[in-house]
Amino acid sequence: MTDLIDLGKYGPEFTENPHPVYAELRALGPVHRVRLPPPGEHVETWLVVGHEEARAALADSRLAKDSRKLGLSFLDEELIGTHLLIADPPQHTRLRSLVTREFTGRRVAALAPRVQRIADDLLDAMLPLGRADLVDSFAYPLPLTVICELLGVPESDRSRFRALSTEVVAPSGLDTEHEAFTRFADYLTELIEDKRCSPPSDDLLGSLIRTTAEDGDRLSMGELRGMAFLLLVAGHETTVNLITSAVRALLTHPDQLAALRADTSLLDGAVEETLRWEGPVENTTFRYAAEPLEIGGTAIPAGEPVLIGLASADRDAGRHAEPDRFDIRRDARGHMAFGHGIHYCLGAPLARLEARIALRTLLERCPDLALDGPPSGWLPGMLIRGVRHLPVRW
């Protein structure tokens, strides 16, 4: 019988810095039975912490994303609707095909001038102050504005959307999480109906409403709501924390910051190393063993939930030498910050674009940027890795 490891015993230190615990687990083996820390302390799951095992698990079709196959049901499925993160082939194949018809590389590349303008406008407002919370002043509003404009969310709704989104990805409790999902579902239904009744728009949500495959297939209301939810939440919460973590990493590694300032061609390397060293998604959402299987020599019974540790896998010394060292010259290819396999993040090109523009613009316009205190408000749970506040000065 595999020993159960209670991650809650590590206390708040685990939320602030889980990497020593993951290293401890990797030293014991690539797969463990764990109890989640608060607010998920009543949940037991298998946790994959080794790089090779995580990569294989991400591509293993025996690990299902659709919990309904096993008779399970969760808030996002009940209230929001079906989306890519909770679908398996052939449904996943169909949904991804319909979305990628509109969420194209060309559409993302065309956003670059607008992303640059948003970054400049935010810094125009921030720089005269001399100090600020980087999250509130820059890292949060930039991707929030981009994704809301991309999907066609009215500006007047964005503060409401931010509050709902934060509670969904880092819930403070089951009651508030349920309320957030309920209100989010109601809001998205209203937004989609408004767009259906309005003249056609060229935003992504309007395009998804109208898109039709060659065989006449279209997204249903539940699927539209689910896809809008996924694109809105995953499309900005992750990028907020990618930008924040990149700045925090550079400011706490002055040699790396100096290297980047001296050679801006290292910018892509800085983004990729941040994704590896402190990526915004700590662990995947749940998968479920559709049949008995073995991962890294550990037997997983049918029906059991499985989490795949992206943050742990990306600090596995078997894949990356000196994995705890932040090095923007490192060849970080092979990191799994965006996943692997059929569920590889659809928004990866947009996240990279925003992070590159945000970092370059911030460093160019703030040559003496420095921390103005410790980061605070580490996000609860084991899904999103990041902080609510990063005080900086210049």
Side-chain angles (χ1 to χ4, degrees):
M1 182 69 179
T2 303
D3 291 337
L4 177 69
I5 298 172
D6 185 359
L7 297 177
K9 73 180 182 182
Y10 295 100
E13 291 79 11
F14 178 73
T15 302
E16 293 184 14
N17 183 14
H19 299 294
V21 175
Y22 291 145
E24 182 183 316
L25 294 180
R26 287 194 304 274
L28 296 172
V31 182
H32 299 278
R33 181 81 176 167
V34 301
R35 179 180 292 124
L36 301 187
E41 62 268 34
H42 303 297
V43 177
E44 295 180 7
T45 182
W46 296 94
L47 177 64
V48 183
V49 293
H51 184 279
E52 183 180 341
E53 294 78 12
R55 191 174 184 85
L58 287 169
D60 195 327
S61 61
R62 295 172 298 174
L63 290 174
K65 298 288 284 185
D66 187 351
S67 62
R68 290 167 297 187
K69 292 178 179 177
L70 303 171
L72 303 173
S73 182
F74 294 96
L75 284 175
D76 52 347
E77 299 163 21
E78 293 175 3
L79 300 173
I80 300 293
T82 301
H83 55 74
L84 293 172
L85 279 184
I86 54 174
D88 298 310
Q91 185 183 36
H92 177 274
T93 309
R94 169 183 164 268
L95 289 175
R96 186 148 183 147
S97 174
L98 284 166
V99 174
T100 52
R101 293 171 68 88
E102 299 299 336
F103 194 40
T104 60
R106 180 177 298 177
R107 189 189 281 265
V108 170
L111 290 171
R114 181 59 185 146
V115 175
Q116 184 66 63
R117 177 61 185 273
I118 294 167
D120 283 325
D121 287 349
L122 290 169
L123 290 180
D124 286 345
M126 187 179 96
L127 293 185
L129 303 176
R131 56 174 23 128
D133 178 350
L134 188 81
V135 178
D136 279 343
S137 297
F138 187 69
Y140 208 111
L142 191 152
L144 177 67
T145 303
V146 171
I147 200 67
C148 284
E149 288 186 357
L150 176 64
L151 272 106
V153 174
E155 189 170 355
S156 58
D157 291 349
R158 290 174 194 173
S159 59
R160 172 187 177 193
F161 163 66
R162 173 178 179 174
L164 293 173
S165 176
T166 301
E167 187 58 41
V168 162
V169 301
S172 54
L174 290 177
D175 291 341
T176 52
E177 182 184 19
H178 188 281
E179 181 183 355
F181 269 109
T182 301
R183 289 167 58 200
F184 217 139
D186 291 343
Y187 170 70
L188 291 174
T189 300
E190 292 171 18
L191 181 64
I192 292 165
E193 288 296 347
D194 285 347
K195 287 191 175 294
R196 276 185 164 154
C197 298
S198 301
S201 61
D202 60 359
D203 57 64
L204 181 56
L205 186 52
S207 299
L208 288 174
I209 290 170
R210 296 190 306 274
T211 193
T212 306
E214 286 79 2
D215 60 0
D217 188 22
R218 304 183 73 170
L219 292 168
S220 68
M221 168 57 91
E223 290 166 345
L224 278 168
R225 192 169 52 233
M227 293 310 305
F229 166 79
L230 180 63
L231 291 167
L232 279 168
V233 174
H236 89 279
E237 288 286 353
T238 51
T239 310
V240 171
N241 293 296
L242 171 56
I243 294 169
T244 305
S245 292
V247 173
R248 183 172 66 87
L250 288 166
L251 294 183
T252 53
H253 295 80
D255 60 323
Q256 300 299 302
L257 177 59
L260 179 56
R261 288 196 182 280
D263 181 2
T264 55
S265 71
L266 294 171
L267 182 61
D268 283 354
V271 172
E272 296 307 310
E273 177 65 345
T274 300
L275 285 163
R276 181 202 71 83
W277 188 75
E278 195 75 287
V281 182
E282 186 175 335
N283 297 278
T284 62
T285 52
F286 284 108
R287 284 163 167 76
Y288 301 90
E291 60 184 76
L293 71 150
E294 191 174 282
I295 304 175
T298 298
I300 311 292
E304 294 276 302
V306 176
L307 283 181
I308 301 171
L310 305 180
S312 177
D314 281 339
R315 294 221 192 176
D316 188 334
R319 178 61 182 84
H320 299 284
E322 297 181 80
D324 292 326
R325 180 169 57 88
F326 179 73
D327 180 5
I328 64 174
R329 292 187 176 90
R330 180 197 301 272
D331 181 356
R333 284 178 299 181
H335 73 69
M336 292 191 292
F338 292 120
H340 173 66
I342 65 168
H343 290 283
Y344 184 84
C345 177
L346 189 68
L350 179 58
R352 286 184 164 114
L353 173 74
E354 292 180 86
R356 286 196 301 267
I357 291 174
L359 267 185
R360 187 190 67 244
T361 308
L362 183 64
L363 295 179
E364 284 177 354
R365 297 188 60 181
C366 299
D368 56 348
L369 186 70
L371 290 175
D372 195 32
S376 64
W378 290 94
L379 295 174
M382 290 178 60
L383 177 60
I384 299 295
R385 174 92 182 125
V387 294
R388 299 189 195 277
H389 305 289
L390 186 69
V392 293
R393 55 183 167 79
W394 52 91

